[in-house]
Amino acid sequence: MTASTAPQVHPPLAWPAYKSTVLRAPSRPLVGIPAGLTEGTGPVGAALLGDHPVGPLDHDLTRQHPGEPLGERIIVHGTVRDSAGRPVPDSLVEVWQANSAGRYPHHADQHPAPLDPNFTGVGRCLTDPQGRYRFISVKPGAYPWRNHDNAWRPAHLHFSLFGRAFTQRLITQMYFPGDPLFYQDPILNAVPEPARPALISTFDLSETVPEWALAYRFDIVLGGTPFEPGAG
Amino acid sequence: MHTLSQTPSQTVGPFFSHALPWPDGPHVVPAGTPGGFWLRGRVLDGAGAPVPDALIESWQADRQGRFGHPGGFRGFGRCPTDEHGNWAIRTVKPGPVPGPDGRPQAPHLALSVFARGLLNRVVTRVYFADEPAANAADPVLAGLPEPARSTLLAGQTEDGYAFEIRLQGDHETVFFAL
């Protein structure tokens, strides 16, 4: 098994405060499996994408339509490392988010907030040789959901990362510092308290572009790759 | 050794179907590939209801049992479930892959399931019911009692194999801790 003695950082699957877990979380304990080639390898970089390579503007969610989206322009960047601290290059990073009014262009999103014809809210890139990624977007709005009375999701970006092995695959959410909605959000609060700050980006003045866009930093740590020397 | 704390997982949520599916996502191999077939299944919740907002991803060796995939074999598939909880991936049966102790494993795929209501993905393996000898010798399958073991066996169909994913309850699929 690769399961370590490190403190659990991931949320439990069964978390009744988030009502959708009640009928979907497995009821039986997960079964240990020896670290092997199948789970210890994975699709890497451009080979994963085949005939649909990352385009030059895929990282810029503000330039995918004829006009500019409404909202507060932001830069979101960071470094992807493995648990041994090594940068993870050539990893596909996918993001998606609501628009600045808190609305997704998704048929099931019924929040009566405006759609933005200039914003789809979907981006992707590959990490560079130092494991870095960078997106340009607009700050997403908070939005209501029906989990509990007067429930609102804090503003967030969804992140999907492949790393370099099946074991490293991660889908998570990035939040913004100081959001007053954190306390009532069962999705963020399902994460053990000591690990929660890792999901909250930090405002980054050094990467903020004067008279153009605020920057937020969100560094990401993936699990180990058992077949790469020195991996944690 | 100093290790960094991993970034916690969060649910994929309900609103990803405009973002994550790829046009060729379900096609691990192109149409007409020798040995190609459809692996089809449903995702069901603890009440037996279809899960219409799940995302399935697969990863596997090529027909020779190789990873790293010389020759352009992607090895990866991605398919969202439809309103009936159905998903499908067109692929080939992987060759035998040695286990950690060097013993051969039966042909298998690794599968991730993401969905609203899953705060972390769940991970399983697809084995093939028409490989009884290899399955009997497989170290992972051998460690599972019945009926749990049977939940990992894909049965033959007209155009390939079928693999049901039951997230919870009777006949719950075996999920692995990585």
Side-chain angles (χ1 to χ4, degrees), chain B residues 1-177:
Chain B
M1 185 175 65
H2 175 71
T3 57
L4 300 177
S5 185
Q6 287 180 39
T7 302
S9 169
Q10 293 271 267
T11 179
V12 72
F15 302 133
F16 61 82
S17 66
H18 64 298
L20 292 182
W22 299 336
D24 65 347
H27 309 293
V28 179
V29 295
T33 301
F37 57 80
W38 283 100
L39 175 65
R40 300 180 187 275
R42 281 187 306 169
V43 182
L44 301 172
D45 73 11
V51 175
D53 49 7
L55 182 76
I56 305 298
E57 291 183 350
S58 67
W59 172 246
Q60 65 174 100
D62 68 11
R63 294 183 78 186
Q64 284 72 46
R66 297 172 301 189
F67 293 97
H69 299 151
F73 179 71
R74 188 173 69 181
F76 176 80
R78 170 186 269 184
C79 185
T81 55
D82 66 14
E83 66 270 33
H84 307 296
N86 292 313
W87 56 275
I89 285 169
R90 186 171 58 208
T91 189
V92 292
K93 194 183 278 187
V97 174
D101 59 359
R103 288 160 62 197
Q105 302 175 88
H108 64 276
L109 281 64
L111 223 61
S112 297
V113 183
F114 302 90
R116 170 176 65 83
L118 286 179
L119 284 160
N120 198 349
R121 66 170 169 165
V122 289
V123 167
T124 188
R125 280 185 172 187
V126 179
Y127 288 87
F128 298 90
D130 59 0
E131 298 276 352
N135 290 341
D138 183 88
V140 172
L141 284 179
L144 297 172
E146 289 292 359
R149 180 181 179 275
S150 307
T151 68
L152 302 188
L153 300 181
Q156 277 187 292
T157 62
E158 278 187 2
D159 65 350
Y161 296 88
F163 187 79
E164 299 268 84
I165 298 168
R166 296 176 188 272
L167 293 175
Q168 188 190 90
D170 291 343
H171 309 293
E172 182 175 310
T173 302
V174 170
F175 298 109
F176 295 107

Side-chain angles (χ1 to χ4, degrees), chain A:
Chain A
M1 281 196 56
T2 58
S4 71
T5 55
Q8 178 58 255
V9 298
H10 296 301
L13 290 166
W15 188 255
Y18 173 27
K19 287 184 179 168
S20 294
T21 66
V22 171
L23 281 175
R24 294 186 171 188
S27 59
R28 301 199 172 96
L30 303 181
V31 176
I33 191 171
L37 278 170
T38 305
E39 289 80 14
T41 57
V44 175
L48 174 58
L49 298 169
D51 296 335
H52 303 276
V54 172
L57 289 180
D58 283 4
H59 73 288
D60 189 341
L61 286 66
T62 69
R63 293 171 68 190
Q64 297 173 347
H65 298 277
E68 279 208 87
L70 292 173
E72 181 182 332
R73 195 183 293 116
I74 58 172
I75 296 160
V76 175
H77 75 106
T79 299
V80 182
R81 293 185 175 84
D82 66 17
S83 50
R86 305 178 312 166
V88 180
D90 214 21
S91 168
L92 181 64
V93 183
E94 300 165 291
V95 296
W96 70 104
Q97 63 166 91
N99 70 21
S100 62
R103 179 85 188 267
Y104 291 88
H106 185 285
H107 64 88
D109 185 356
Q110 300 298 314
H111 177 34
L115 289 165
D116 185 336
N118 291 312
F119 194 72
T120 305
V122 177
R124 59 185 188 161
C125 70
L126 294 172
T127 54
D128 74 9
Q130 285 77 45
R132 295 176 302 197
Y133 73 88
R134 186 172 184 267
F135 292 101
I136 300 167
S137 189
V138 294
K139 189 173 181 183
Y143 58 83
W145 60 317
R146 292 173 180 165
N147 184 75
H148 56 275
D149 184 45
N150 210 5
W152 291 75
R153 293 297 330 278
H156 59 276
L157 268 67
H158 295 270
F159 269 74
S160 155
L161 296 104
F162 282 81
R164 303 179 66 81
F166 185 83
T167 51
Q168 291 185 310
R169 183 85 176 92
L170 176 71
I171 288 183
T172 190
Q173 301 182 27
M174 181 205 98
Y175 300 90
F176 291 86
D179 195 313
L181 295 171
F182 288 156
Y183 80 95
Q184 57 79 63
D185 184 53
I187 293 178
L188 173 61
N189 290 317
V191 174
E193 196 281 331
R196 259 174 244 160
L199 293 182
I200 302 168
S201 59
T202 54
F203 171 64
D204 184 355
L205 187 64
S206 70
E207 288 294 317
T208 290
V209 177
E211 299 179 44
W212 194 70
L214 296 173
Y216 292 88
R217 181 173 184 122
F218 182 53
D219 292 329
I220 295 165
V221 181
L222 304 177
T225 50
F227 294 98
E228 291 185 359

